Amino acid sequence: AGDDVKEQLEQKARAMESCEGYELMKANLEDAFIIELDLSHANLERVNLIDGHTFGVNLTGANLMKANLRDANLREAKLAGADLLGANLDGADLDRATWGDDAIIRNHALANQLIAQGDDIGAAEQFQRAEDTYRIIRQRYEANGQTDVAGQFFYNEMVSKRMQMPK
């Protein structure tokens, strides 16, 4: 059944059909050709996208928690609001990926909402998750020699770290 899912997604990518909001938890999409596929707001938790051909894929608001994106081509991917907590980005190509306004990830935005609601404990937990995620992304950009992009994620990582400090 795993190959069926991969095949169906590849067909949808070729046909330029949207897969917005799809439930693909733990799907095996290794080496999948899903270039420019719309997977916005999809659940891709623990998905295997090793060596994925995902150029220009739309992952806006997608859940990629603990996804294996090792050596995936994520060039020009749309990653605004995506949850990448615990994702494996080793060797992933993030060149020209877009991350939304000021590269603020989902956990960081959620933490800001929780602060506004007066939930400092919940906010601290989300800032911890954001810090971890920013670090993973920053390290990927640094490994690719893209220190200018890495700098934005370092800044956000340090903001997240500072926001966890007692007031």
Side-chain angles (χ1 to χ4, degrees):
D3 287 340
D4 295 346
V5 171
K6 180 175 144 182
E7 206 172 291
Q8 287 173 9
L9 287 177
E10 289 175 339
Q11 285 173 0
K12 288 195 175 288
R14 284 191 294 275
M16 299 298 285
E17 291 179 40
S18 175
C19 295
E20 181 178 355
Y22 271 38
E23 181 62 50
L24 297 164
M25 187 171 175
K26 296 183 181 177
N28 182 10
L29 304 176
E30 186 169 351
D31 200 34
F33 280 84
I34 52 173
I35 292 169
E36 295 185 350
L37 184 62
D38 179 5
L39 284 166
S40 57
H41 307 285
N43 182 10
L44 298 159
E45 186 174 338
R46 296 180 184 270
V47 74
N48 174 7
L49 255 169
I50 294 173
D51 292 320
H53 306 274
T54 51
F55 177 90
V57 71
N58 182 357
L59 294 167
T60 303
N63 176 10
L64 291 154
M65 245 174 105
K66 298 191 178 180
N68 192 344
L69 303 169
R70 185 167 46 85
D71 298 324
N73 177 2
L74 290 163
R75 280 176 169 250
E76 298 189 20
K78 295 170 185 70
L79 292 159
D83 187 349
L84 286 156
L85 182 66
N88 178 359
L89 293 172
D90 293 347
D93 187 350
L94 295 170
D95 193 32
R96 296 189 309 278
T98 54
W99 297 93
D101 294 341
D102 299 322
I104 301 295
I105 60 166
R106 183 190 292 181
N107 304 99
H108 191 150
L110 183 57
N112 287 336
Q113 289 172 1
L114 291 171
I115 284 176
Q117 295 166 7
D119 183 356
D120 291 344
I121 295 166
E125 185 180 307
Q126 291 301 321
F127 276 124
Q128 175 63 56
R129 291 177 176 185
E131 179 188 350
D132 294 345
T133 305
Y134 285 133
R135 184 177 310 108
I136 292 165
I137 298 167
R138 171 183 59 82
Q139 289 170 340
R140 186 71 246 132
Y141 278 115
E142 285 175 351
N144 286 351
Q146 295 173 283
T147 52
D148 54 332
V149 183
Q152 178 68 61
F153 288 97
F154 176 74
Y155 177 83
N156 290 345
E157 179 186 347
M158 292 301 110
V159 168
S160 297
K161 188 179 192 81
R162 178 177 56 83
M163 294 303 284
Q164 294 169 61
M165 302 294 171
K167 295 191 170 36

